[in-house]
Amino acid sequence: PPKPPPPPPKPPDLVLSDGITTIRASAAYGGAIYSLEHHGIEYINASDRGRLLQSAFQLNDSTEGENPTEGGSVGDTTGSSTVLISGSVNGNVLSTNAQLAYWHPYNGQVLSPHLLRKTVTLTGNILRHVITITVGGDQQSIAMEGLTGYMPQSFRRWHTFTNGALVPVPSPDIEGEWDMIASDVPLVVAIDDAHAIGCYAPTKGYAYGDIDNWPKWDTGCWAQRPCPAGEYTVEAYTIFGTMAEVTGVLTRLQS
């Protein structure tokens, strides 16, 4: 029998690197960041479809029923249902523009009418994200996960960062994303004192959980009812390195 056709070529990566830290995004993940490597350690990896640094939002109180997601759809395998319209790296800035897929098909559609563009600026051990979503059409409500990080399973030491100090919290083991633990202060999760990753948003709004063995945090979370059509922007930060380095940056950002 004839041989099956070869798989389509993998889209080229968008690579942002300063020689110490390397960030990779790709159309294969809708333009979402699928790898964050710092001093040879991956803080974000793509060992399965969930392990991304990405954005998502839920519309009309439907949770995952109407859930535009940067990384793509739950049914994706070798590529992403999110359409990467454009992507570029210029100096220390990664930029993408995408039309988002629904996590689960909605009204028989996989591709949503909603758009997301972002710029990600790498400065030392800090990623500054400016994320703008364009909601296509008036909605009853929106619940925004401004930036979501899904870490490898080795990240198990959870902390909140309160009044300039780390406060250990129990490692969560949660059934279902919508049972995540809310927080009004930044979060830090670590392998050990040498390898930690934290999140910060000026508008606050945090949550964390361990979803099917995916350690996960959200930052820049907010909800609005109603949600008129138009643009909504979130600023968020990802900080990585040693525990001391991460908390030092969080202290500066909060000052």
Side-chain angles (χ1 to χ4, degrees), residues 3-90:
K3 292 182 179 179
K10 181 182 176 182
D13 283 348
L14 297 166
V15 181
L16 180 60
S17 180
D18 62 4
I20 297 172
T21 302
T22 300
I23 312 298
R24 296 181 184 275
S26 172
Y29 299 94
I33 292 171
Y34 76 87
S35 177
L36 191 170
E37 184 177 320
H38 180 66
H39 285 303
I41 298 294
E42 272 199 307
Y43 290 72
I44 301 289
N45 64 36
S47 62
D48 54 52
R49 293 297 301 182
R51 308 285 177 77
L52 302 173
L53 190 57
Q54 64 169 322
S55 300
F57 52 97
Q58 296 80 35
L59 297 172
N60 304 318
D61 301 315
S62 63
T63 61
E64 290 188 349
E66 191 176 356
N67 184 194
T69 300
E70 185 180 9
S73 173
V74 68
D76 293 340
T77 54
T78 58
S80 176
S81 295
T82 288
V83 176
L84 182 62
I85 299 167
S86 62
S88 64
V89 174
N90 185 8

Side-chain angles (χ1 to χ4, degrees), residues 13-254:
D13 283 348
L14 297 166
V15 181
L16 180 60
S17 180
D18 62 4
I20 297 172
T21 302
T22 300
I23 312 298
R24 296 181 184 275
S26 172
Y29 299 94
I33 292 171
Y34 76 87
S35 177
L36 191 170
E37 184 177 320
H38 180 66
H39 285 303
I41 298 294
E42 272 199 307
Y43 290 72
I44 301 289
N45 64 36
S47 62
D48 54 52
R49 293 297 301 182
R51 308 285 177 77
L52 302 173
L53 190 57
Q54 64 169 322
S55 300
F57 52 97
Q58 296 80 35
L59 297 172
N60 304 318
D61 301 315
S62 63
T63 61
E64 290 188 349
E66 191 176 356
N67 184 194
T69 300
E70 185 180 9
S73 173
V74 68
D76 293 340
T77 54
T78 58
S80 176
S81 295
T82 288
V83 176
L84 182 62
I85 299 167
S86 62
S88 64
V89 174
N90 185 8
N92 66 333
V93 179
L94 164 71
S95 302
T96 67
N97 184 19
Q99 182 174 356
L100 303 184
Y102 292 113
W103 182 240
H104 294 286
Y106 177 71
N107 287 340
Q109 301 297 314
V110 174
L111 189 63
S112 85
H114 312 295
L115 306 176
L116 183 148
R117 69 178 188 272
K118 70 174 185 285
T119 60
V120 182
T121 304
L122 171 64
T123 306
N125 65 327
I126 307 168
L127 288 179
R128 177 178 180 259
H129 310 252
V130 179
I131 302 153
T132 299
I133 65 167
T134 303
V135 176
D138 295 342
Q139 309 294 327
Q140 296 175 15
S141 67
I142 185 172
M144 182 69 180
E145 294 180 273
L147 185 66
T148 301
Y150 294 85
M151 278 68 64
Q153 295 180 11
S154 52
F155 285 81
R156 290 296 181 191
R157 291 173 52 185
W158 284 96
H159 308 77
T160 57
F161 190 70
T162 305
N163 298 322
L166 282 171
V167 178
V169 294
S171 181
D173 184 9
I174 293 171
E175 295 294 332
E177 184 168 328
W178 288 95
D179 293 324
M180 288 180 68
I181 300 169
S183 174
D184 58 1
V185 295
L187 302 162
V188 179
V189 61
I191 299 173
D192 49 35
D193 288 346
H195 305 98
I197 185 168
C199 60
Y200 173 78
T203 54
K204 301 185 180 180
Y206 305 92
Y208 66 102
D210 190 333
I211 312 301
D212 295 330
N213 291 320
W214 295 344
K216 163 181 169 146
W217 49 250
D218 293 342
T219 189
C221 304
W222 51 267
Q224 180 174 308
R225 178 187 300 277
C227 173
E231 292 189 347
Y232 299 84
T233 298
V234 173
E235 180 184 9
Y237 293 79
T238 307
I239 310 103
F240 43 88
T242 67
M243 194 77 81
E245 290 169 340
V246 170
T247 56
V249 172
L250 286 173
T251 299
R252 294 200 304 271
L253 289 172
Q254 290 183 302

